[in-house]
Amino acid sequence: QVQLVESGGGLVQAGGSLRLSCAASGRTFTYYAMGWFRQAPGKESEFVAAISSSGGTTYYADSVKGRFTVSRDNAKNTVYLQMNSLKPEDTAVYYCAGGALRYASTSVDDYGYWGQGIQVTVSS
């Protein structure tokens, strides 16, 4: 069983930065690919970024490429999402997800463990 807890969200002005953290419990974190997804009010959940279990492979949604960076520290059982040049359209609840697979995946169906979500609000 893996439990995921996000932190670092909040309110920021457009152009600003935030770093989300996702702390994982359990000894198998190093074997899990991790992903970030988000859901804005009235919209479906969308993929944001993913990282393989080793950290060697990352994927990004086109909408965040060049602005967001996903990384992980397996010694700390933590995955991060550095968000720069934030836009109002980045406003959403962000979810950390873990999947029992080594490769990074953009599919929500590959992730069996989810955090509770954290609000990110970008004001214009």
Side-chain angles (χ1 to χ4, degrees):
Q1 190 76 7
V2 175
Q3 291 186 321
L4 304 173
V5 179
E6 300 101 336
S7 62
L11 173 65
V12 64
Q13 289 188 330
S17 298
L18 283 175
R19 188 176 81 157
L20 303 183
S21 298
C22 174
S25 65
R27 294 174 294 177
T28 56
F29 176 78
T30 55
Y31 300 112
Y32 280 63
M34 301 297 294
W36 288 95
F37 294 80
R38 67 186 182 187
Q39 186 166 23
K43 295 186 177 181
E44 294 186 353
S45 176
E46 65 171 338
F47 166 76
V48 176
I51 188 166
S52 62
S53 60
S54 68
T57 301
T58 56
Y59 294 132
Y60 297 93
D62 288 342
S63 58
V64 307
K65 202 170 293 183
R67 300 188 297 121
F68 290 12
T69 302
V70 61
S71 62
R72 65 190 295 160
D73 185 338
N74 284 346
K76 295 182 178 180
N77 279 13
T78 302
V79 63
Y80 305 96
L81 185 68
Q82 177 67 44
M83 305 184 294
N84 299 329
S85 302
L86 282 161
K87 305 175 181 179
E89 51 264 43
D90 294 318
T91 295
V93 176
Y94 283 71
Y95 296 90
C96 170
L101 65 170
R102 294 185 181 270
Y103 59 88
S105 173
T106 64
S107 173
V108 66
D109 293 335
D110 284 331
Y111 295 94
Y113 300 99
W114 294 83
Q116 80 285 358
I118 192 162
Q119 179 70 46
V120 170
T121 303
V122 184
S123 63
S124 56

